[in-house]
Amino acid sequence: MIDYFAANLWQMWALVAIVCLILELTNGDFFIMCFSIGAVCAAVSSALGLGFYGGLLVFAVCSVLCIFFVRPFALRYLHRNDDARVSNADALIGRIGRVSEPVEAGGYGRIAIDGDDWKAVSADGQAIPLNAKVKVIGRESIIITVETVD
């Protein structure tokens, strides 16, 4: 089996490239992608007849060059609007939901938004009936502030 891998070293590098691409999907910061590009370069060099240590050198050099030259460009190009992008609970502001448990006057209720149920309070302190449509206008910790929508 070792003879097979020695004769087909490019397949090992291709496998390393695929594994790195899969790992990059879990991360998304384009760091592991550089190792995938290095593994592709090593696979090509191994297919052209370069041995294991030569492929390892090509992998290391290409990966380091990619980290210093390709990664900053990719981050700058693909994450241009990250400052304007909201995430997690802040993304709820402006969304429309349905009252799943009536909001009591001056108290709390529950609002369903895309299958998630949130504790909510009325913006004006008025009661909101069951199944009413509401819009999220604010958030304090895990409690959202809503107002009715006509």
PDB file of all heavy atoms in Angstrom, residues 84-95 118 136-141 144:
ATOM      1  N   ALA A  84     -21.451  46.885   8.375  1.00  0.00           N
ATOM      2  CA  ALA A  84     -22.873  47.183   8.277  1.00  0.00           C
ATOM      3  C   ALA A  84     -23.742  45.960   8.524  1.00  0.00           C
ATOM      4  O   ALA A  84     -24.950  46.081   8.660  1.00  0.00           O
ATOM      5  CB  ALA A  84     -23.188  47.750   6.896  1.00  0.00           C
ATOM      6  N   ARG A  85     -23.150  44.770   8.580  1.00  0.00           N
ATOM      7  CA  ARG A  85     -23.916  43.539   8.729  1.00  0.00           C
ATOM      8  C   ARG A  85     -24.230  43.286  10.199  1.00  0.00           C
ATOM      9  O   ARG A  85     -23.338  43.300  11.037  1.00  0.00           O
ATOM     10  CB  ARG A  85     -23.129  42.371   8.163  1.00  0.00           C
ATOM     11  CG  ARG A  85     -23.929  41.089   8.162  1.00  0.00           C
ATOM     12  CD  ARG A  85     -23.128  39.976   7.585  1.00  0.00           C
ATOM     13  NE  ARG A  85     -22.049  39.662   8.510  1.00  0.00           N
ATOM     14  CZ  ARG A  85     -21.146  38.737   8.291  1.00  0.00           C
ATOM     15  NH1 ARG A  85     -21.154  38.070   7.179  1.00  0.00           N
ATOM     16  NH2 ARG A  85     -20.214  38.499   9.174  1.00  0.00           N
ATOM     17  N   VAL A  86     -25.495  43.079  10.504  1.00  0.00           N
ATOM     18  CA  VAL A  86     -25.886  42.754  11.870  1.00  0.00           C
ATOM     19  C   VAL A  86     -26.041  41.249  11.984  1.00  0.00           C
ATOM     20  O   VAL A  86     -26.306  40.555  11.014  1.00  0.00           O
ATOM     21  CB  VAL A  86     -27.199  43.464  12.275  1.00  0.00           C
ATOM     22  CG1 VAL A  86     -26.999  44.957  12.337  1.00  0.00           C
ATOM     23  CG2 VAL A  86     -28.320  43.117  11.339  1.00  0.00           C
ATOM     24  N   SER A  87     -25.879  40.763  13.173  1.00  0.00           N
ATOM     25  CA  SER A  87     -25.997  39.330  13.377  1.00  0.00           C
ATOM     26  C   SER A  87     -26.695  39.047  14.694  1.00  0.00           C
ATOM     27  O   SER A  87     -26.952  39.939  15.487  1.00  0.00           O
ATOM     28  CB  SER A  87     -24.613  38.684  13.373  1.00  0.00           C
ATOM     29  OG  SER A  87     -23.854  39.186  14.447  1.00  0.00           O
ATOM     30  N   ASN A  88     -26.997  37.779  14.882  1.00  0.00           N
ATOM     31  CA  ASN A  88     -27.631  37.284  16.095  1.00  0.00           C
ATOM     32  C   ASN A  88     -28.937  38.005  16.377  1.00  0.00           C
ATOM     33  O   ASN A  88     -29.748  38.220  15.483  1.00  0.00           O
ATOM     34  CB  ASN A  88     -26.669  37.386  17.281  1.00  0.00           C
ATOM     35  CG  ASN A  88     -25.431  36.560  17.057  1.00  0.00           C
ATOM     36  OD1 ASN A  88     -25.471  35.580  16.322  1.00  0.00           O
ATOM     37  ND2 ASN A  88     -24.339  36.940  17.662  1.00  0.00           N
ATOM     38  N   ALA A  89     -29.159  38.399  17.608  1.00  0.00           N
ATOM     39  CA  ALA A  89     -30.436  39.001  17.982  1.00  0.00           C
ATOM     40  C   ALA A  89     -30.611  40.397  17.406  1.00  0.00           C
ATOM     41  O   ALA A  89     -31.743  40.850  17.220  1.00  0.00           O
ATOM     42  CB  ALA A  89     -30.556  39.044  19.502  1.00  0.00           C
ATOM     43  N   ASP A  90     -29.535  41.097  17.077  1.00  0.00           N
ATOM     44  CA  ASP A  90     -29.660  42.425  16.482  1.00  0.00           C
ATOM     45  C   ASP A  90     -30.308  42.365  15.098  1.00  0.00           C
ATOM     46  O   ASP A  90     -30.881  43.345  14.640  1.00  0.00           O
ATOM     47  CB  ASP A  90     -28.291  43.094  16.368  1.00  0.00           C
ATOM     48  CG  ASP A  90     -27.737  43.474  17.730  1.00  0.00           C
ATOM     49  OD1 ASP A  90     -28.560  43.731  18.633  1.00  0.00           O
ATOM     50  OD2 ASP A  90     -26.509  43.500  17.885  1.00  0.00           O
ATOM     51  N   ALA A  91     -30.227  41.225  14.450  1.00  0.00           N
ATOM     52  CA  ALA A  91     -30.845  41.070  13.133  1.00  0.00           C
ATOM     53  C   ALA A  91     -32.373  41.012  13.232  1.00  0.00           C
ATOM     54  O   ALA A  91     -33.054  41.097  12.224  1.00  0.00           O
ATOM     55  CB  ALA A  91     -30.317  39.816  12.449  1.00  0.00           C
ATOM     56  N   LEU A  92     -32.911  40.874  14.418  1.00  0.00           N
ATOM     57  CA  LEU A  92     -34.369  40.828  14.600  1.00  0.00           C
ATOM     58  C   LEU A  92     -35.015  42.199  14.453  1.00  0.00           C
ATOM     59  O   LEU A  92     -36.200  42.291  14.140  1.00  0.00           O
ATOM     60  CB  LEU A  92     -34.712  40.278  15.988  1.00  0.00           C
ATOM     61  CG  LEU A  92     -34.476  38.801  16.214  1.00  0.00           C
ATOM     62  CD1 LEU A  92     -34.695  38.463  17.677  1.00  0.00           C
ATOM     63  CD2 LEU A  92     -35.379  37.980  15.334  1.00  0.00           C
ATOM     64  N   ILE A  93     -34.273  43.257  14.691  1.00  0.00           N
ATOM     65  CA  ILE A  93     -34.856  44.599  14.665  1.00  0.00           C
ATOM     66  C   ILE A  93     -35.357  44.899  13.253  1.00  0.00           C
ATOM     67  O   ILE A  93     -34.640  44.769  12.277  1.00  0.00           O
ATOM     68  CB  ILE A  93     -33.833  45.643  15.153  1.00  0.00           C
ATOM     69  CG1 ILE A  93     -33.492  45.348  16.610  1.00  0.00           C
ATOM     70  CG2 ILE A  93     -34.368  47.056  14.976  1.00  0.00           C
ATOM     71  CD1 ILE A  93     -32.425  46.206  17.207  1.00  0.00           C
ATOM     72  N   GLY A  94     -36.634  45.276  13.186  1.00  0.00           N
ATOM     73  CA  GLY A  94     -37.283  45.557  11.915  1.00  0.00           C
ATOM     74  C   GLY A  94     -38.065  44.380  11.364  1.00  0.00           C
ATOM     75  O   GLY A  94     -38.796  44.519  10.392  1.00  0.00           O
ATOM     76  N   ARG A  95     -37.931  43.209  11.963  1.00  0.00           N
ATOM     77  CA  ARG A  95     -38.627  42.014  11.493  1.00  0.00           C
ATOM     78  C   ARG A  95     -40.077  42.017  11.956  1.00  0.00           C
ATOM     79  O   ARG A  95     -40.429  42.608  12.973  1.00  0.00           O
ATOM     80  CB  ARG A  95     -37.945  40.749  12.012  1.00  0.00           C
ATOM     81  CG  ARG A  95     -36.489  40.607  11.652  1.00  0.00           C
ATOM     82  CD  ARG A  95     -36.254  40.179  10.219  1.00  0.00           C
ATOM     83  NE  ARG A  95     -36.956  39.000   9.848  1.00  0.00           N
ATOM     84  CZ  ARG A  95     -36.486  37.759   9.974  1.00  0.00           C
ATOM     85  NH1 ARG A  95     -35.293  37.569  10.448  1.00  0.00           N
ATOM     86  NH2 ARG A  95     -37.204  36.728   9.617  1.00  0.00           N
ATOM     87  N   TRP A 118     -39.803  34.523  21.217  1.00  0.00           N
ATOM     88  CA  TRP A 118     -39.069  35.511  21.989  1.00  0.00           C
ATOM     89  C   TRP A 118     -39.962  36.145  23.043  1.00  0.00           C
ATOM     90  O   TRP A 118     -41.124  36.412  22.804  1.00  0.00           O
ATOM     91  CB  TRP A 118     -38.549  36.627  21.067  1.00  0.00           C
ATOM     92  CG  TRP A 118     -37.529  36.155  20.096  1.00  0.00           C
ATOM     93  CD1 TRP A 118     -37.751  35.609  18.874  1.00  0.00           C
ATOM     94  CD2 TRP A 118     -36.124  36.174  20.278  1.00  0.00           C
ATOM     95  NE1 TRP A 118     -36.575  35.298  18.273  1.00  0.00           N
ATOM     96  CE2 TRP A 118     -35.551  35.642  19.112  1.00  0.00           C
ATOM     97  CE3 TRP A 118     -35.290  36.604  21.310  1.00  0.00           C
ATOM     98  CZ2 TRP A 118     -34.178  35.515  18.962  1.00  0.00           C
ATOM     99  CZ3 TRP A 118     -33.938  36.488  21.140  1.00  0.00           C
ATOM    100  CH2 TRP A 118     -33.387  35.942  19.982  1.00  0.00           C
ATOM    101  N   VAL A 136     -40.603  44.307  15.410  1.00  0.00           N
ATOM    102  CA  VAL A 136     -39.576  44.451  16.441  1.00  0.00           C
ATOM    103  C   VAL A 136     -38.903  45.803  16.252  1.00  0.00           C
ATOM    104  O   VAL A 136     -38.402  46.124  15.180  1.00  0.00           O
ATOM    105  CB  VAL A 136     -38.541  43.317  16.351  1.00  0.00           C
ATOM    106  CG1 VAL A 136     -37.467  43.488  17.408  1.00  0.00           C
ATOM    107  CG2 VAL A 136     -39.207  41.959  16.476  1.00  0.00           C
ATOM    108  N   ILE A 137     -38.894  46.623  17.312  1.00  0.00           N
ATOM    109  CA  ILE A 137     -38.276  47.945  17.223  1.00  0.00           C
ATOM    110  C   ILE A 137     -37.083  48.118  18.158  1.00  0.00           C
ATOM    111  O   ILE A 137     -36.372  49.110  18.079  1.00  0.00           O
ATOM    112  CB  ILE A 137     -39.308  49.069  17.487  1.00  0.00           C
ATOM    113  CG1 ILE A 137     -39.904  48.925  18.874  1.00  0.00           C
ATOM    114  CG2 ILE A 137     -40.381  49.061  16.421  1.00  0.00           C
ATOM    115  CD1 ILE A 137     -40.714  50.138  19.298  1.00  0.00           C
ATOM    116  N   GLY A 138     -36.867  47.137  19.022  1.00  0.00           N
ATOM    117  CA  GLY A 138     -35.733  47.245  19.936  1.00  0.00           C
ATOM    118  C   GLY A 138     -35.455  45.928  20.625  1.00  0.00           C
ATOM    119  O   GLY A 138     -36.225  44.968  20.523  1.00  0.00           O
ATOM    120  N   ARG A 139     -34.344  45.905  21.367  1.00  0.00           N
ATOM    121  CA  ARG A 139     -33.945  44.690  22.071  1.00  0.00           C
ATOM    122  C   ARG A 139     -33.171  45.082  23.318  1.00  0.00           C
ATOM    123  O   ARG A 139     -32.300  45.940  23.279  1.00  0.00           O
ATOM    124  CB  ARG A 139     -33.073  43.831  21.166  1.00  0.00           C
ATOM    125  CG  ARG A 139     -32.581  42.564  21.812  1.00  0.00           C
ATOM    126  CD  ARG A 139     -31.679  41.796  20.888  1.00  0.00           C
ATOM    127  NE  ARG A 139     -30.376  42.427  20.701  1.00  0.00           N
ATOM    128  CZ  ARG A 139     -29.346  42.273  21.535  1.00  0.00           C
ATOM    129  NH1 ARG A 139     -29.459  41.539  22.606  1.00  0.00           N
ATOM    130  NH2 ARG A 139     -28.192  42.876  21.292  1.00  0.00           N
ATOM    131  N   GLU A 140     -33.493  44.448  24.405  1.00  0.00           N
ATOM    132  CA  GLU A 140     -32.760  44.611  25.663  1.00  0.00           C
ATOM    133  C   GLU A 140     -32.459  43.213  26.169  1.00  0.00           C
ATOM    134  O   GLU A 140     -33.372  42.510  26.617  1.00  0.00           O
ATOM    135  CB  GLU A 140     -33.589  45.398  26.674  1.00  0.00           C
ATOM    136  CG  GLU A 140     -32.903  45.643  27.998  1.00  0.00           C
ATOM    137  CD  GLU A 140     -31.706  46.564  27.862  1.00  0.00           C
ATOM    138  OE1 GLU A 140     -31.749  47.501  27.044  1.00  0.00           O
ATOM    139  OE2 GLU A 140     -30.717  46.321  28.573  1.00  0.00           O
ATOM    140  N   SER A 141     -31.228  42.786  26.031  1.00  0.00           N
ATOM    141  CA  SER A 141     -30.815  41.437  26.382  1.00  0.00           C
ATOM    142  C   SER A 141     -31.610  40.446  25.533  1.00  0.00           C
ATOM    143  O   SER A 141     -31.524  40.476  24.318  1.00  0.00           O
ATOM    144  CB  SER A 141     -30.976  41.199  27.872  1.00  0.00           C
ATOM    145  OG  SER A 141     -30.478  39.930  28.224  1.00  0.00           O
ATOM    146  N   ILE A 144     -37.400  41.439  23.538  1.00  0.00           N
ATOM    147  CA  ILE A 144     -37.539  42.354  22.413  1.00  0.00           C
ATOM    148  C   ILE A 144     -38.701  43.310  22.665  1.00  0.00           C
ATOM    149  O   ILE A 144     -39.657  42.985  23.356  1.00  0.00           O
ATOM    150  CB  ILE A 144     -37.733  41.600  21.082  1.00  0.00           C
ATOM    151  CG1 ILE A 144     -38.960  40.692  21.127  1.00  0.00           C
ATOM    152  CG2 ILE A 144     -36.500  40.817  20.722  1.00  0.00           C
ATOM    153  CD1 ILE A 144     -39.268  40.011  19.811  1.00  0.00           C
TER     154      ILE A 144
END
